[in-house]
Amino acid sequence: MARPKIALIGAGQIGGTLAHLVALKELGDVVLFDIADGTPQGKSLDIAEAGPTGHFDATLKGTTDYADIAGADVCIVTAGVPRKPGMSRDDLLGINLKVMKSVGEGIAANAPNAFVICITNPLDAMVWALREFSGLPHEKVCGMAGVLDSARFRHFLASEFDVSMKDVTAFVLGGHGDTMVPLTRYSTVAGIPLPDLVEMGWTTQEKMDAIVQRTRDGGAEIVGLLGNGSAYYAPATSAIEMAESYLKDQKRVLPCAAYVDGAFGLDGFYVGVPTVIGKGGIERVVAINLTKDEQAMFDKSVDAVKGLVAACKEIDGSLA
Ligand code: APR
């Protein structure tokens, strides 16, 4: 049987890491696309040459021609610019919106049946715009943010409790920005909710609050340390988890930026929610109950995303 075809639109830090991970995990053959001629070809060749020692069979092709992504099963989009120290994700809106237009058109023309995962920031607005520009079905276009934010939360919690990350689950909802909503009530160590762990004396409320804040600032912390770009290892690994669930019909329950129509008081809007990802794409949005406080935090986050979507419509009249 032919291997799945995975198109990576953007061959920068995240795109290159994605290509390496796809190859190492033998998820399929890779087409690495970028507008910067030489970069996708160079990275593809470098990774292909890692095959004999990395023990993987995968074909990698670097290109600047959208025709090469024809028939892709999955497209992961990282094209655009990352932020620099002092910038918020929202500062990237104007420039990355234009990129989403060309990417959306390229995918629509060449890989209209693909499952599309957007990573470009500001994430929730960009995935909405990418869906609009591509015209693909809503359930086939989603954004990677919740898996990453939850992974950061899980990492901090596992370190705090000195337990395996495998036994820590966490849910982060809402927009991928300062207003994201880490849900402590739904985050657990081997099924024990965080509030219970505070009561059991494993940690204190103050430490939990600090971890929640560090999760919200997780991206900025890395941007500040790197000084010339943003995170790429954890974002790439998170998107791979989503792509794998689609390709293998795993039906993983993963938080991601999905089109929500009906649940959470939303009618037709992209924001971070728990979903089930399988061969149909976003097969379900899991409508969990929120307390009044949680719903208020979620609504605030949705409002922030609505502001960004409105700004997109102002910049590009075709989106209005
Ligand atoms: N089409 C295709 N590729 C493009 C386009 C375009 N119109 N515009 C820019 N690119 C390419 C750049 O040439 C670059 O190789 O996108 C790549 C982006 O790579 P990096 O600058 O290394 O950025 P990266 O760290 O990979 O992040 C990409 O993901 O997490 C978000 O905020 C981050 O928006 C940023 C995106």
Side-chain angles (χ1 to χ4, degrees):
M1 203 164 66
R3 289 194 283 253
K5 178 167 176 176
I6 300 172
L8 307 173
I9 315 296
Q13 298 285 46
I14 302 178
T17 310
L18 283 168
H20 197 195
L21 287 172
V22 168
L24 283 171
K25 292 173 79 79
E26 294 192 320
L27 285 183
D29 291 331
V30 175
V31 176
L32 194 52
F33 174 96
D34 204 288
I35 50 168
D37 196 22
T39 301
Q41 295 91 335
K43 289 197 179 185
S44 292
L45 181 58
D46 189 13
I47 294 168
E49 289 169 356
T53 48
H55 306 288
F56 56 78
D57 283 308
T59 303
L60 292 108
K61 180 182 175 69
T63 184
T64 55
D65 183 355
Y66 269 112
D68 287 323
I69 75 164
D73 299 290
V74 170
C75 292
I76 307 181
V77 178
T78 61
V81 293
R83 54 185 168 150
K84 300 195 170 61
M87 286 173 94
S88 83
R89 293 184 180 93
D90 302 354
D91 294 331
L92 307 171
L93 188 115
I95 179 156
N96 284 351
L97 183 63
K98 286 199 194 84
V99 175
M100 289 307 102
K101 188 172 168 61
S102 63
V103 174
E105 290 167 357
I107 292 174
N110 296 284
N113 297 319
F115 179 55
V116 180
I117 302 170
C118 181
I119 304 185
T120 303
N121 277 313
L123 191 271
D124 305 85
M126 290 303 101
V127 66
W128 170 80
L130 184 63
R131 207 308 304 172
E132 293 291 311
F133 288 131
S134 69
L136 264 61
H138 287 103
E139 68 274 14
K140 298 295 282 294
V141 182
C142 66
M144 188 296 295
V147 175
L148 169 63
D149 296 328
S150 303
R152 287 181 171 145
F153 196 21
R154 288 169 65 191
H155 165 68
F156 299 143
L157 290 170
S159 304
E160 165 66 10
F161 297 134
D162 194 21
V163 297
S164 166
M165 278 176 236
K166 290 180 192 149
D167 295 321
V168 180
T169 65
F171 254 135
V172 177
L173 303 184
H176 184 50
D178 304 336
T179 57
M180 74 179 74
V181 188
L183 284 182
T184 51
R185 211 161 53 90
Y186 284 113
S187 303
T188 76
V189 172
I192 309 165
L194 291 190
D196 291 19
L197 292 165
V198 173
E199 268 181 33
M200 287 157 61
W202 275 40
T203 185
T204 63
Q205 190 57 47
E206 290 68 38
K207 282 187 178 166
M208 277 303 93
D209 293 345
I211 286 178
V212 164
Q213 193 53 43
R214 191 172 177 199
T215 302
R216 286 204 179 100
D217 298 336
E221 185 175 358
I222 307 265
V223 169
L225 288 167
L226 293 177
N228 63 350
S230 50
Y232 49 100
Y233 293 113
T237 312
S238 301
I240 291 294
E241 193 171 41
M242 293 165 65
E244 189 168 13
S245 188
Y246 171 76
L247 288 166
K248 297 183 180 170
D249 193 25
Q250 288 173 332
K251 301 193 193 292
R252 298 283 313 276
V253 182
L254 299 170
C256 67
Y259 185 72
V260 188
D261 197 9
F264 295 99
L266 295 170
D267 55 345
F269 200 70
Y270 268 98
V271 72
V273 290
T275 67
V276 177
I277 299 180
K279 67 178 185 309
I282 303 293
E283 296 188 344
R284 254 189 295 165
V285 167
V286 183
I288 52 173
N289 287 327
L290 298 178
T291 63
K292 235 173 104 195
D293 285 352
E294 289 162 353
Q295 184 72 46
M297 279 195 282
F298 184 76
D299 291 345
K300 189 173 159 215
S301 192
V302 168
D303 282 346
V305 178
K306 280 189 174 157
L308 294 176
V309 167
C312 289
K313 289 179 178 172
E314 252 175 53
I315 295 169
D316 186 325
S318 74
L319 290 169

